[in-house]
Amino acid sequence: MKKKLLIITTGGTLACIQDEKGLIPGLSGRDILDYISDITDLYQVDFLELFQLDSANIQPKNWQTLAETIYEKHRDYDGVVIFHGTDTMAYTSSVLSFMLPNIPIPVVLTGSQLSILNPLADAVENCRCAIHMAASSIPGIFLAFNRKVILGTRASKVRTTSFHAFESINYPYIGEINSRGLDLQSSYIPRLTGPCKLRKDLEEKVFLIKLVPGFDGKIFQLLYEQGYRGVIIEAFGLGGIPSLSSEVMKDLEEVIRKGMAVVVKSQCPYEGSDLSVYETGHAALQAGVFQAYDMSTEAVVTKLMWLLGSYHHREDIEKNFYKNLAGELRIPETILL
């Protein structure tokens, strides 16, 4: 019997047509089907058109709608494919991993760098990879692109025009298409730990700061006054924050004391943070920050949004921040010891 798959369309470049103002999503699921029917004919496929959005316009409310839809439909299908714009696809794959813990079927996001209308597009090949991954029976949230399958919480867009647009941050690929077909590495896939639950509450008031020389810390209080509950700081190197001026740390300590959750990660995408190495990192830990270790920026942002939406006490937020919930986090053994 053919496996039953659901393809959810949300817009993005893959579905774009040329408008007088530029490229805009305009192709329906049925339009797209004409280009991938040789793949979909292998399965029983249903289409659901959920959005027609450039992914730069995807908002947390869209994530919630998408998570609700997948949760409602997942018992009726063997797998789900989501066509999504590339700009925020890694954020979506990360947040769905937290909102749909223990999803028992494959949910695979994909998109393209060129519209499927373009004869040179990468769209068909990406659809092929995503659809076959969705039929793999391997549970979890994944992103398929350029013949690679990436764990949802480890994906990051690192190139703007190349077909090799996404990378797996500090984690092996889940699978690759090669001469053996879809070659999957099941040992890298997180195991189910219980029944699937929908946990869709999110805190939108989360802000990302990238440090530059000359940073003075005054923005922390401004963000607190604007109602932000969480801040992620992309610090220097292993996680250094300027400490020569006592005002930076005082401002940081003050907003943390008032209840703001502050996470420090490295600006470097690879190899992660370790705030225990340098004095500048120690000072931040003493101020009460959490550190991100080897998480991607997309995973840190969405995990903090999800934690702040799910929990209200600092102890619960901290405890769960340092849990590896969906393959997003590895704490070095030397730290655990």
Side-chain angles (χ1 to χ4, degrees):
M1 181 180 293
K2 289 183 178 181
K3 288 197 172 182
K4 189 175 182 182
L5 305 181
L6 175 64
I7 297 179
I8 299 175
T9 61
T10 69
T13 298
L14 185 147
C16 272
I17 59 175
Q18 186 68 46
D19 181 78
E20 60 183 13
K21 296 180 180 179
L23 289 172
I24 60 169
L27 298 178
S28 69
R30 291 299 164 189
D31 294 331
I32 296 169
L33 180 62
D34 291 340
Y35 292 85
I36 58 172
S37 58
D38 63 321
I39 315 163
T40 56
D41 284 350
L42 300 173
Y43 307 103
Q44 183 181 343
V45 175
D46 292 333
F47 274 87
L48 175 61
E49 295 180 23
L50 202 57
F51 314 123
Q52 277 280 26
L53 292 171
D54 184 305
S55 73
N57 290 321
I58 292 283
Q59 299 295 314
K61 65 180 181 181
N62 301 120
W63 291 336
Q64 291 171 323
T65 300
L66 188 53
E68 288 171 350
T69 302
I70 295 167
Y71 184 75
E72 290 169 0
K73 302 283 188 182
H74 81 271
R75 295 180 185 87
D76 300 326
Y77 293 92
D78 298 301
V80 175
V81 175
I82 303 166
F83 293 160
H84 194 291
T86 60
D87 286 351
T88 60
M89 184 157 57
Y91 287 96
T92 301
S93 69
S94 284
V95 79
L96 289 178
S97 303
F98 301 123
M99 298 170 81
L100 294 166
N102 294 306
I103 188 79
I105 62 171
V107 176
V108 190
L109 290 90
T110 195
S112 63
Q113 295 286 68
L114 289 172
S115 168
I116 202 166
L117 298 178
N118 191 312
L120 298 177
D122 54 333
V124 172
E125 193 59 49
N126 290 341
C127 290
R128 187 186 310 276
C129 182
I131 290 168
H132 286 308
M133 182 62 196
S136 70
S137 301
I138 295 177
I141 310 290
F142 307 98
L143 189 153
F145 215 86
N146 196 44
R147 301 194 173 198
K148 308 288 193 303
V149 179
I150 302 170
L151 189 67
T153 54
R154 292 290 183 165
S156 184
K157 187 175 181 181
V158 298
R159 298 176 183 87
T160 57
T161 59
S162 169
F163 288 164
H164 184 37
F166 287 84
E167 267 300 347
S168 182
I169 303 299
N170 299 318
Y171 204 78
Y173 293 127
I174 295 300
E176 298 184 55
I177 292 179
N178 56 33
S179 61
R180 291 187 290 271
L182 181 55
D183 190 5
L184 296 171
Q185 304 299 319
S186 58
S187 62
Y188 296 130
I189 299 169
R191 304 301 178 194
L192 300 181
T193 57
C196 181
K197 297 179 180 180
L198 174 64
R199 300 191 61 184
K200 65 176 184 176
D201 292 335
L202 298 171
E203 171 57 66
E204 296 186 28
K205 299 290 280 187
V206 169
F207 199 83
L208 176 65
I209 297 171
K210 185 169 185 173
L211 296 190
V212 296
F215 178 78
D216 64 10
K218 291 183 174 60
I219 193 173
F220 296 136
Q221 184 60 35
L222 292 173
L223 291 172
Y224 179 81
E225 291 171 357
Q226 290 295 314
Y228 281 86
R229 293 188 58 217
V231 170
I232 299 101
I233 301 172
E234 287 195 342
F236 304 116
L238 284 170
I241 295 177
S243 62
L244 289 179
S245 168
S246 61
E247 295 304 313
V248 174
M249 286 303 163
K250 284 182 180 178
D251 289 335
L252 190 57
E253 288 175 350
E254 178 67 14
V255 294
I256 291 172
R257 184 186 64 78
K258 292 177 178 178
M260 182 181 281
V262 179
V263 181
V264 175
K265 72 176 299 293
S266 175
Q267 294 181 7
C268 306
Y270 296 102
E271 300 175 355
S273 65
D274 186 348
L275 274 64
S276 68
V277 175
Y278 292 98
E279 182 274 334
T280 52
H282 271 284
L285 288 174
Q286 290 173 356
V289 306
F290 307 150
Q291 68 165 315
Y293 292 107
D294 69 337
M295 282 192 278
S296 70
T297 295
E298 293 89 342
V300 175
V301 169
T302 55
K303 186 174 187 178
L304 189 59
M305 294 173 83
W306 179 80
L307 287 172
L308 292 173
S310 302
Y311 302 99
H312 298 284
H313 298 294
R314 179 181 170 87
E315 296 78 12
D316 294 326
I317 294 167
E318 182 173 10
K319 179 178 70 175
N320 286 282
F321 183 83
Y322 288 120
K323 282 184 180 178
N324 182 23
L325 301 174
E328 77 282 2
L329 171 67
R330 185 184 68 86
I331 298 176
E333 291 183 6
T334 53
I335 302 295
L336 294 174
L337 295 173

